[in-house]
Each structure stands twice: as structure tokens, then as C-alpha cells.
Amino acid sequence: MSGEAMNLTLRVWRQDDAEDAGRFETYNAPDISPDMSFLEMLDVVNEGIIADGGEPIAFDSDCREGICGTCSMVINGVAHGGQQGTTACQLHMRHFRDGDTITIEPWRATAFPVHRDLIVDRTSFERIQQAGGFISVRTGSVPDANATPVPKEDSDLAMDAAQCIGCGACVAACKNASAMLFVAAKVSHLSLMPQGQPERERRALAMVQQMDEEGFGNCTVTGSCEAVCPKEISLDFIARMNREYGRAILKSGCN
Amino acid sequence: MSLAHNIFNTSLGRKYLMALTGAGLFGFVVMHMLGNLTIFAGPAAINEYAANLHSLGPLLWVARLGLLAMVAIHIWAAVKLSAENKRARQVRYEGAVQPVDEDRKSEIVSRYASRTMIYSGLIIAAFAFYHLAHYTWKVPQINGVDADFEEFYVHEEDAGEEQVAFVTVLPEGKEGANGADVYRMVKTGFGVWWVSAFYVVAVGLLCVHLSHGLSAMFQSRGFKTKSTEKLINRFACTASWLLFIGYVSVPLGVLFGFVK
Ligand code: HEM
Ligand code: FES
């Protein structure tokens, strides 16, 4: 089923380091198979750049199967490209047409400073996780599956939230660079599980606090995050986080 | 971390404040429209309605101060949140959104109303200030006619004609003073085309603001889910249109002679 090879033009953001002002550069991407993934296409272009004695385009990737969340790039103005529920590494070149010009940019957010080319620093997400995205009860090693009963609806919802791979596309897509979809997924996931109860209030307060300190924006309910999320995390979780937060400030009171 | 800190100094706390004060202001906007519509029932109805409002005395001041507090909190939170949003995203993307199909594009790109909340809001605030100066403080220099609304009173001699059914209930000690002739004031005020035009534009912007705001406030307070979203959005859209029609009917009614 492999189709015709394509010739594409790439406009890629190049930036030498965090201090560099950066600029767009144009590259030809000849002879691209529609069966390649987007990252494989970039690999091919990089081979060409190296052969010509240039610096290859720096981009992040690890698993290349849509589960690690490192392949951060904005393709034609859309985080991870226009394909619904798909990471850049899982996006295939068959969605492009011969002769297309593709603009590739890094995530843009003050809380995600650009390291180099398409690579951004997302340790702000790590710090939010460290602020409360964990449980401290000892679950032991491989507990018996049914030792802690969880209602089916709750476990389903928790699983939906746990799908979040922390890629940062929600931040990249949001006009306010808000991290609320990410934080909502993390807060919701643990607050739905029995093991997450002891730190329930503390977690919501601490993660929101850290999110604010990192300089992310605020949700204005545009829905862009949900539309680009490769794991299709629902906006419902932001409403759930708002409830969790309201509950936490009431319960923690004036202390 | 105190309760006040968690409410006033955090993103989610301020979103709660936005949503609560927004809902309160929505309540005011609805009541105000219903009051305005009494003009179609004739001079007696609206003048009596106005006199009844004014006879509330201290209660009226409680309501006014409550409204003022809501406006202050709403604007304070709006300006703060919007400034943070600007700071959080300083670089725009060069690539134009051109996803696989149109439907997806409308989901990915934020809607006009949601993008312009701070601008529609600030224009509404400016209008509200003008509106107060126009009809509440009755500043004659800005009404565009050669009249001082301060002098529009229900006169005894009118009683025979236009003001037949109007009886002003005046507070203790003020008996004998005349009630304000709101009917004549509104009719004169909206007779000026540019005053009416500004009013229509401002009310239009208010309804654009609310077409997003009335839906967002459910999300901010955590009530919105995929199963209620459709209903909430329909409520936001319908309420905004009804408010728009209700409000603009008054100046248009005056301009086109439906208000006799
Ligand atoms: C009668 C007047 C007004 C009404 C009824 C109203 C109503 C609302 C409502 C219901 C919301 C949704 C709250 C939420 O996002 O959860 C909202 C949001 C907003 N309002 Fe107003 N508003 C009014 C005036 C203003 C004014 C004067 C400003 C000026 C600064 C303003 C600025 C905003 C902004 C920026 C938002 C978006 C907040 C966000 O999504 O983060 N509004 N408004
Ligand atoms: S490289 Fe792991 S999700 Fe794309």
C-alpha cells in the first residue's frame, strides 16, 4: 500500500541555545515515503544536513510509539500536528501531500523555555509532579488484584486521567499556555483512587500552587488543549480539578 | 496557607471569583432588563417601578454596594488573570492551523468570544460608566440633547394626561416632592441616535461576553461535564440572545416610535 514518494519543503525553527534569538530555516525534504513517521522524515532530512556538513535539527524523541511524551513539536500551528489523538512520532507522512510546505516550531510557553531548535525544557512539569503528584502509602509489591476494591466507574475515570503522558501539548496549544489539563489529569487520577485519599487536599493545593509559580497561564475554557491532546484527556477533568480545589480550600480552612 | 491566600492568590481561586461574580452580575443584568421592559407598558408602569426601587432606601444601597464589589472583584481578577496569560505565552506560532478537516480546526482554534473576553469586558465597563453618568447621575453635558434629566419630574399637571395611573409613593418627610419621570428621560435619551447606537454596540458586546462566560462559569466552578456541556452551551447562547433582544428593544422602540 505504499504510495508515491513526496517532495516537501520544511520551515524549521533553529535556535543554537537558550540565549540565541533563533530563526526559521528552510529545508527541502525530497523523496519522502508516505509510510514514514514524521520523526523518521526528520531523521532523513537530518542525514542530508549532516552530509552537507551542517548541524542536524535537534528534536526530542524516545519511545516513538506515542507513550513517553517527549516528541514535542508544533506542526503547521498545531501541537503534534493535526491528526486527532496522535503524537508527532505516530503521525504519518501520508497525511501530507506532495509539494506541501510544513512549518515546524517548538512548544511556545514561558514555562517551557527553548533549549535548542525544537527541544524545550519541561522540568516545570516535573516540579508540579514533585509538589503532589504521588501517593505515600506503601502499596507493597504486586498487591492482590482485588485487595482494594475500586468502583468500576472510578477506576475507568482514573484510567482515562492516567493516560496523560505529560507531553505538554495542552500548554503548547493553549493561547494562555495554561497547564490546567495536565494538572487536572494528575490531580483527578489520584483523587479517584482509594490510595490517593490521604493526601487528597494537600495534593490539589500543592500542585495548583506549583503550577502558578512556574508561570503557566490560566484556563479560559477555549478547549484547544482537549482538541490537541494525543491521549484525548477530557476538559471534564479540569472541572473535576476545580471541584477538588474548592473542596480542598474548604476542608483545609483557615489554618 | 490561609483560606484568603488560596482564594485570592491562586489561579483557581481567582477563577472561582470570576465565575461567582460573573454569575452575580448576570443575575443583575437579567433583573435590570426585566425592569427596563416595563417601559412598553407605558409611562405609569416604568415610573412606578422606578419609584418603588427608590423607596427601598438603605436596601437599595446594599444592592448597589454589592454590585460595586462584584464589579471590582470581577475586573480585578480579569485584569490579573489576563496579564498572567499574556506573560505565560509571549511567542505566537508562525504556522497557520490547517488541520485535516474544518471541524478539527474549529476545535483547535479558540473561539472569538473566548479570545476577546478582556476587551469585551473593558468596553462594557466603559459603557456602564457612561450609562450611569447618563441616566443615574444625569450629567447634562453628555446626553446629547438640550435638556437636563434632573428636571424631568412627574408633575401634578401631567396627571391628567400621560401620568394618569402613576402614583409616587414617597418616603416619610418627602411627601409633596415629585418622582422622577424615567419614562420621559429614557424616551428623550434614546432619541439621540448615537446614544442608542453606543448602547446597542455595548449590549451586543455584553452578549458576546456572556455567550462564552455563561458556559465558562460552569466549568470554573466544576459543574460542567461532557454530558451537560451541550445543555450548558445552549443555555449560554439562548440567554445571551434573549438579553440582547430584551435590551435593544428599548432604544430601538424609542427610535422607531413604538414607545409612544
Ligand atoms: C455586567 C457585566 C458582566 C457580566 C454579567 C460578566 C459575566 C461574566 C461571566 C459569567 C464570566 C465567566 C467566568 C468564568 O470564566 O468562569 C466572565 C468572564 C470574564 N469577564 Fe466578565 N462580566 C461582566 C463584566 C466584565 C467586565 C467589566 C470585565 C472587564 C475587565 C470583564 C472581564 C472578564 C474576563 C476577562 C473574563 C474571562 C475570565 C476567564 O475566563 O479567565 N467582565 N464574565
Ligand atoms: S517519542 Fe514517545 S511519545 Fe513520541
Side-chain angles (χ1 to χ4, degrees), chain A residues 127-135 179-180 182-192 196-213 237-252, chain B residues 1 5-6 10-13 16:
Chain A
R127 288 188 291 271
I128 294 175
Q129 277 292 67
Q130 285 159 9
F134 52 81
I135 57 168
M180 288 206 191
F182 165 73
V183 179
K186 298 305 172 194
V187 166
S188 302
H189 163 208
L190 294 175
S191 77
L192 280 158
Q197 296 312 305
E199 288 116 344
R200 187 168 169 185
E201 289 82 31
R202 229 188 308 160
R203 175 182 309 112
L205 293 174
M207 291 184 84
V208 168
Q209 181 81 33
Q210 191 64 36
M211 167 179 82
D212 290 351
E213 279 170 20
F237 287 114
I238 298 187
R240 179 175 288 276
M241 170 176 67
N242 291 338
R243 284 203 299 278
E244 285 296 322
Y245 187 78
R247 188 177 172 280
I249 56 176
L250 292 180
K251 278 198 103 173
S252 67
Chain B
M1 299 293 153
H5 167 84
N6 287 332
T10 65
S11 52
L12 291 201
Y16 260 90

Side-chain angles (χ1 to χ4, degrees), chain B:
Chain B
M1 299 293 153
S2 73
L3 185 64
H5 167 84
N6 287 332
I7 293 175
F8 288 96
N9 290 342
T10 65
S11 52
L12 291 201
R14 288 196 284 255
K15 290 281 332 187
Y16 260 90
L17 291 175
M18 276 316 287
L20 290 173
T21 52
L25 292 173
F26 171 64
F28 162 74
V29 165
V30 170
M31 298 313 287
H32 188 31
M33 179 196 72
L34 293 176
N36 293 354
L37 289 178
T38 58
I39 199 166
F40 290 106
I46 192 162
N47 283 343
E48 190 166 348
Y49 167 73
N52 285 340
L53 265 189
H54 279 261
S55 68
L56 290 175
L59 261 182
L60 183 62
W61 276 104
V62 171
R64 281 175 169 167
L65 289 178
L67 271 174
L68 195 65
M70 285 197 282
V71 169
I73 292 174
H74 195 81
I75 295 183
W76 169 78
V79 169
K80 198 136 176 102
L81 290 168
S82 302
E84 285 167 1
N85 295 346
K86 270 239 149 60
R87 221 175 309 130
R89 171 72 101 69
Q90 290 163 350
V91 187
R92 291 180 168 225
Y93 295 110
E94 294 245 336
V97 181
Q98 40 179 220
V100 215
D101 50 24
E102 274 301 308
D103 253 24
R104 295 264 303 138
K105 181 166 173 172
S106 71
E107 286 168 16
I108 292 167
V109 179
S110 57
R111 280 173 206 284
Y112 179 79
S114 73
R115 254 180 294 140
T116 53
M117 289 300 271
I118 187 72
Y119 307 110
S120 55
L122 288 172
I123 297 171
I124 297 163
F127 166 76
F129 189 76
Y130 173 79
H131 190 60
L132 282 171
H134 189 212
Y135 285 147
T136 305
W137 305 320
K138 304 179 184 175
V139 178
Q141 288 83 354
I142 58 147
N143 63 22
V145 285
D146 192 16
D148 186 351
F149 297 158
E150 203 69 75
E151 291 162 1
F152 286 17
Y153 282 101
V154 180
H155 294 293
E156 287 300 333
E157 51 267 38
D158 287 351
E161 309 165 20
E162 284 194 353
Q163 307 292 340
V164 220
F166 175 51
V167 188
T168 319
V169 188
L170 292 162
E172 199 93 1
K174 288 260 186 168
E175 295 94 340
N178 292 317
D181 191 349
V182 173
Y183 181 83
R184 196 168 141 220
M185 174 174 82
V186 170
K187 213 180 142 182
T188 317
F190 285 140
V192 183
W193 72 267
W194 58 263
V195 171
S196 283
F198 186 23
Y199 185 93
V200 171
V201 170
V203 168
L205 283 174
L206 172 65
C207 297
V208 171
H209 194 85
L210 289 179
S211 70
H212 178 70
L214 290 183
S215 161
M217 71 183 187
F218 286 97
Q219 174 79 353
S220 301
R221 280 181 287 168
F223 299 146
K224 198 150 112 183
T225 62
K226 281 281 167 286
S227 53
T228 53
E229 189 180 14
K230 273 220 165 63
L231 194 68
I232 288 173
N233 288 345
R234 202 172 307 147
F235 158 74
C237 184
T238 313
S240 303
W241 272 111
L242 287 179
L243 279 174
F244 181 70
I245 294 167
Y247 272 107
V248 302
S249 68
V250 177
L252 294 187
V254 169
L255 282 177
F256 295 107
F258 292 111
V259 174
K260 289 279 158 7

